[in-house]
């Protein structure tokens, strides 16, 4: 490894959650408000269960109310839509998140569209997607790209004029990430599975965001020397070196080779991952303030 800086998402997210906790205390003291976050989980997907458990725990730790609604995967779409309607009307609930993916008999777009845009702390509602795309300050921004942007600004300061490459075009990460970087006046390229000469595209980038879900796909020699690399991937791979049947987590970037070229890089685990829930809590705080006509605090 050269003199690469590790971007410590765990430490950053702990600081962020601490500041959110202070603002929650202030909201309670000055306005008698306790922000509430409702999370809906359908089915038994083990990764989703872990996420939802961690969300609930961290919501309570910052002083917010956590409402968890769990269902078998045979719940009907209508039942889910009725529940969302109830949560939309519930003053104690300021944020609503439906954990994805949903079972195939439920239409994800219909469910996401049913959440009130003001309580859509995931930022997936078309109104919030449109607000982000048009530079409207009222946009609630998806948590993972928001966390990436916070770390980038913390490391680099002003991003304007930088070349940014976003690898991946999902609605959850790639597309909103590109919009956020564009709003920071970066020159943005979105690359994907059909991009020609991907290595060369990556080598132009001062900022490289990898969000494709393919383990260790980006090698060090695709990275511009000194570039800042944000690895959104969380992939579990076999790790026979740790013993038979063992596994380990890796990102979309080959960390070892990338570390000898990049100026700064997020590790996996401990980079982007911990920022996502912290940003969800930040969005819940912001949504609560907006619903009460209060100024959204900088955290
Ligand atoms: N599943 C994986 N990531 C996410 C996310 O950011 N939000 C929701 N709702 N579901 C997810």
């Amino acid at each position: 490894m050269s003199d690469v800086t590790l971007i410590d998402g765990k430490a950053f997210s702990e600081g962020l959650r601490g500041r959110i906790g202070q603002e929650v205390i202030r909201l309670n003291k000055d306005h008698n408000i306790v922000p509430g976050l409702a999370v809906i989980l359908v089915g038994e997907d083990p990764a989703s269960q872990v996420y939802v458990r961690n969300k609930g725990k961290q919501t309570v730790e910052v002083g917010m109310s956590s409402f968890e609604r769990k269902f078998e995967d045979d719940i009907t779409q209508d039942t889910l839509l009725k529940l969302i309607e109830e949560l939309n009307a519930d003053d104690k609930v300021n944020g609503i998140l439906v954990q994805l993916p949903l079972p195939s008999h439920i239409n994800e777009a219909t469910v996401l569209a049913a959440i009130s845009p003001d309580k859509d702390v995931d930022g997936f509602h078309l109104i919030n997607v449109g607000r982000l795309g048009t530079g409207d300050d009222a946009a609630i921004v998806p948590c993972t790209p928001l966390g990436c942007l916070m770390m980038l600004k913390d490391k680099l300061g002003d991003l304007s004029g930088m070349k940014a490459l976003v690898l991946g075009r999902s609605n959850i990460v790639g597309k909103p990430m590109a919009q956020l970087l564009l709003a920071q006046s970066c020159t943005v390229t979105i690359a994907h599975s059909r991009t020609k000469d991907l290595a060369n595209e990556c080598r132009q980038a001062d900022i490289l965001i990898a969000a494709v879900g393919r383990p260790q796909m980006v090698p060090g020699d695709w990275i511009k020397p000194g570039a800042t690399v944000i690895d959104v991937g969380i992939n579990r791979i076999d790790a026979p070196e740790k013993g038979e049947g063992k596994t380990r987590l890796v990102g979309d970037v080959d960390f070892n080779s990338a570390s000898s070229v990049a100026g700064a890089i997020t590790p996996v685990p401990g980079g982007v991952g911990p920022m996502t829930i912290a940003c969800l809590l930040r969005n819940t705080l912001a949504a609560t303030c907006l619903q009460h006509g209060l100024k959204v605090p900088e955290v």
Side-chain angles (χ1 to χ4, degrees), residues 97-100 122 124 144 172:
L97 178 146
V98 178
Q99 185 67 29
L100 303 178
D122 252 333
F124 295 165
T144 300
I172 294 183

Side-chain angles (χ1 to χ4, degrees), residues 32-258:
N32 202 24
I33 294 169
V34 180
L37 172 63
V39 175
I40 301 171
L41 173 64
V42 179
E44 307 284 328
D45 178 61
S48 292
Q49 286 178 328
V50 173
Y51 286 138
V52 167
R53 199 176 323 125
N54 287 336
K55 279 172 193 161
K57 188 166 162 274
Q58 294 186 25
T59 302
V60 172
E61 278 169 7
V62 296
M64 297 182 181
S65 302
S66 169
F67 308 95
E68 275 179 29
R69 304 294 179 90
K70 296 184 181 168
F71 300 93
E72 305 286 320
D73 60 9
D74 60 357
I75 184 177
T76 65
Q77 180 167 307
D78 274 354
T79 308
L80 199 52
L81 292 175
K82 281 208 189 76
L83 170 66
I84 291 172
E85 222 173 276
E86 279 167 33
L87 296 171
N88 281 340
D90 187 339
D91 288 343
K92 293 191 293 304
V93 174
N94 305 102
I96 302 170
L97 178 146
V98 178
Q99 185 67 29
L100 303 178
L102 289 167
S104 56
H105 68 279
I106 295 176
N107 184 311
E108 228 161 70
T110 305
V111 169
L112 295 179
I115 298 171
S116 160
D118 297 338
K119 296 190 177 185
D120 166 39
V121 283
D122 252 333
F124 295 165
H125 193 288
L126 294 183
I127 293 274
N128 283 313
V129 175
R131 284 175 178 156
L132 175 60
T134 54
D136 183 333
D137 284 346
I140 302 182
V141 175
C143 304
T144 300
L146 180 59
C148 295
L149 182 68
M150 282 184 182
M151 290 192 289
L152 279 172
K153 286 174 76 169
D154 184 62
K155 177 76 192 77
L156 298 171
D158 183 9
L159 308 183
S160 103
M162 291 189 174
K163 281 194 186 218
L165 182 121
V166 180
L167 184 49
R169 53 177 157 177
S170 70
N171 291 338
I172 294 183
V173 184
K175 286 180 202 161
M177 187 76 246
Q179 292 289 3
L180 284 172
L181 291 165
L182 190 58
Q184 296 295 316
S185 303
C186 291
T187 302
V188 183
T189 302
I190 305 181
H192 46 77
S193 54
R194 300 294 178 90
T195 297
K196 294 208 172 88
D197 199 358
L198 185 55
N200 192 44
E201 292 290 344
C202 290
R203 282 186 199 117
Q204 316 292 315
D206 305 306
I207 294 169
L208 193 152
I209 314 275
V212 272
R214 289 184 54 185
Q216 299 170 309
M217 179 186 159
V218 178
D221 72 354
W222 288 15
I223 292 168
K224 179 177 175 176
T228 301
V229 177
I230 306 288
D231 191 348
V232 181
I234 302 177
N235 310 288
R236 192 164 282 287
I237 62 167
D238 291 337
E241 72 281 4
K242 287 170 67 182
E244 204 189 306
K246 297 282 185 196
T247 60
R248 66 189 174 102
L249 290 180
V250 296
D252 292 348
V253 176
D254 177 42
F255 184 81
N256 286 338
S257 63

